[in-house]
Amino acid sequence: MEEQSAEAATKKSGLPKLPASTIWMINFGFLGVQMAFTLQSSQMSRIFQTIGADPNKLGWFFILPPLAGLIVQPIIGYYSDRTWAPKLGGRRLPYLALGTLIAIIVMCLLPNSGSFGFGYASITALLFGAVTVALLDVSSNIAMQPFKMMVGDMVNDKQKSYAYGIQSFLSNGGAVIAAIFPFLFTAFGIANTAKKGVVPQSVVISFYVGAVILLFTSLLTIFKVHEYDPATYAKYHGISEEANTTGGNWFALLKKAPKVFWTVTLVQFFCWVAFQYLWTYSAGAIAHNVWNTTNAASTGYQAAGNWYGVLAAVQSIAAVVWSYVLAKVPNNHHKLGYALSLGLGALGFLSVFFIHTQYTLVVSFIFVGMAWAAMNTYPLTMITNALSGEHMGTYLGLFNGSICLPQIVASLASFGLFPLLGNAQENMFLFAGIVMAIGALSVGLIKETYKA
């Protein structure tokens, strides 16, 4: 009788069609998580240079988030594959709740790095900022990974592109809102400058509001989504109930990963190197090229920081629109859409070096947003289509290495590259544009597969 039950459990019945409302709820908390990431990425350089960090040393701070993601996401994937705690939400949701709680606390601490009397450019202030950034990224990664996994767990192949499209929409929507917060709060009369070494209130309040929204959106997903129990999950995915509770060795899984896992990882390497330099050097590059200043305490520099927030919002809006276009691209033309988008992104990066007027930069960041849309649409679709439900979370956690490792490499390389390129932050965009162009060309190596 037990043998018959095991046999029945491994007979795949296929994932059911989900109501659109359920797919939205599975992804809704991603809005708040992406706001946390966007506030971190768009304001991190500004915060650290405001409290006294040397631009040539920024790589040390920017290496912390991807290092945290590289370690945390595979761990969350591994353990959530083995988790079933219905009283705490299920398989992935308990980790979402934990990550959200920690992220909210850290979001209230990070922008206050210069407000505790540590002193301008003091080791204590910079260390406090570095620790809070690391904690914010750890917690945001803990909170973010469940959304990617739940789509793989619960959404069938026909609805998967729609589900990731919703995730992309909410992700970029959250990015738009978070990116323009400092600009909006300044327009409302909140101070955008402060005494030397102190982060302006326009940035501090942006983080506070982002924390509140993160709490609300995450709770909505936690209370509205009901994950499949182990028996149902096994039935829908055609695996045994024990499949996710045994094995799972990272190196063993990587050895038998489908080829598309590695070819997409190669493309990802070039893309994420480019974006790491965008996040690290945008505020300084714009301040120098447009406002003709490198003084982080100046009004011009803080105005450039706000304008970069607006440009980050432009990037996200462009990504939302372009994601809709990419959703209409037939399956047999995915590679063309991917390569074209990355190519346009390369033009956007290169153009930042040459532009000295703030409004023209809008065009540059529209192109960058097109690349961002493709990076958030195609890789996960290609990978999850090639995987079964066995160790889904662990595989997606390991695939996150294709995002984190390039950022770590880029940060380490910046210590030599930045002075080599004349210690000018805008020069890093030339290099980033070339790297993104190589990524566009490497798309040709991908051969999609739909078998585990």
Side-chain angles (χ1 to χ4, degrees):
M1 191 70 171
E2 290 179 359
E3 291 180 5
Q4 289 178 343
S5 298
E7 194 175 313
T10 58
K11 184 178 180 182
K12 185 174 183 179
S13 64
L15 287 160
K17 183 178 180 180
L18 296 177
S21 59
T22 300
I23 294 177
W24 275 88
M25 283 301 103
I26 288 173
N27 289 298
F28 196 69
F30 210 89
L31 176 77
V33 175
Q34 189 57 46
M35 289 184 69
F37 271 115
T38 298
L39 284 168
Q40 175 185 297
S41 63
S42 67
Q43 299 301 318
M44 189 169 151
S45 177
R46 177 184 186 179
I47 289 172
F48 277 104
Q49 292 190 66
T50 297
I51 64 177
D54 181 347
N56 195 35
K57 303 291 193 302
L58 286 176
W60 289 117
F61 302 107
F62 276 83
I63 204 172
L64 295 172
L67 186 60
L70 182 66
I71 297 169
V72 170
Q73 292 218 24
I75 292 173
I76 296 302
Y78 179 87
Y79 283 105
S80 66
D81 278 343
R82 288 159 165 71
T83 296
W84 179 247
K87 291 184 178 180
L88 297 176
R91 171 178 277 132
R92 317 295 185 186
L93 291 175
Y95 297 91
L96 168 59
L98 174 63
T100 297
L101 177 62
I102 300 172
I104 289 169
I105 295 170
V106 181
M107 287 179 75
C108 294
L109 292 175
L110 174 59
N112 288 297
S113 299
S115 303
F116 296 113
F118 297 133
Y120 178 74
S122 72
I123 294 177
T124 305
L126 295 174
L127 183 60
F128 180 86
V131 170
T132 52
V133 162
L135 286 173
L136 178 57
D137 207 76
V138 166
S139 57
S140 297
N141 273 285
I142 293 172
M144 179 182 69
Q145 195 68 356
F147 297 106
K148 297 179 181 179
M149 295 174 187
M150 284 189 291
V151 172
D153 289 346
M154 301 176 66
V155 181
N156 65 37
D157 288 349
K158 290 183 179 179
Q159 292 183 295
K160 197 171 287 179
S161 60
Y162 172 74
Y164 279 122
I166 296 301
Q167 192 169 105
S168 179
F169 172 80
L170 290 168
S171 171
N172 287 297
V176 170
I177 297 168
I180 63 173
F181 269 169
F183 184 85
L184 286 178
F185 290 142
T186 301
F188 292 153
I190 296 173
N192 192 48
T193 56
K195 65 180 182 180
K196 189 175 182 179
V198 176
V199 177
Q201 281 298 297
S202 59
V203 176
V204 174
I205 293 175
S206 296
F207 275 82
Y208 290 169
V209 175
V212 172
I213 296 174
L214 170 60
L215 175 62
F216 172 75
T217 57
S218 295
L219 286 176
L220 202 58
T221 290
I222 289 168
F223 286 117
K224 291 291 186 179
V225 174
H226 303 285
E227 297 187 72
Y228 298 137
D229 62 81
T232 304
Y233 181 91
K235 177 183 176 183
Y236 285 155
H237 286 275
I239 60 176
S240 68
E241 286 189 50
E242 296 74 29
N244 279 322
T245 60
T246 59
N249 178 276
W250 294 0
F251 295 104
L253 290 178
L254 288 173
K255 283 177 66 176
K256 62 180 184 180
K259 186 177 180 181
V260 69
F261 184 99
W262 298 109
T263 50
V264 173
T265 292
L266 178 65
V267 177
Q268 290 271 86
F269 177 84
F270 298 111
C271 295
W272 286 95
V273 165
F275 269 89
Q276 183 74 349
Y277 288 148
L278 177 136
W279 295 324
T280 307
Y281 298 109
S282 282
I286 294 167
H288 190 213
N289 265 8
V290 179
W291 275 269
N292 299 310
T293 182
T294 57
N295 179 8
S298 67
T299 300
Y301 186 93
Q302 296 302 329
N306 277 4
W307 189 244
Y308 171 51
V310 173
L311 293 174
V314 168
Q315 172 193 319
S316 297
I317 293 170
V320 169
V321 175
W322 195 242
S323 292
Y324 180 79
V325 174
L326 295 178
K328 301 294 184 181
V329 175
N331 288 348
N332 60 336
H333 288 102
H334 277 178
K335 287 172 59 175
L336 177 61
Y338 198 5
L340 175 63
S341 301
L342 298 185
L344 291 170
L347 289 176
F349 276 99
L350 291 168
S351 67
V352 171
F353 172 81
F354 297 99
I355 292 174
H356 296 271
T357 56
Q358 67 182 104
Y359 294 105
T360 311
L361 284 169
V362 169
V363 178
S364 303
F365 278 79
I366 287 174
F367 286 156
V368 170
M370 291 177 173
W372 184 247
M375 289 165 57
N376 284 279
T377 300
Y378 288 124
L380 279 176
T381 300
M382 292 175 174
I383 295 300
T384 55
N385 281 341
L387 295 172
S388 70
E390 190 172 347
H391 305 298
M392 174 74 77
T394 309
Y395 264 120
L396 291 180
L398 291 170
F399 182 66
N400 192 60
S402 71
I403 296 173
C404 299
L405 277 174
Q407 295 179 66
I408 293 170
V409 171
S411 291
L412 291 174
S414 70
F415 301 130
L417 191 60
F418 186 73
L420 184 66
L421 295 178
N423 292 306
Q425 297 186 55
E426 62 271 19
N427 291 354
M428 299 298 285
F429 279 85
L430 283 176
F431 183 82
I434 294 170
V435 170
M436 180 65 79
I438 296 172
L441 293 174
S442 64
V443 171
L445 299 174
I446 298 173
K447 291 184 179 179
E448 289 189 73
T449 176
Y450 297 92
K451 293 181 180 180

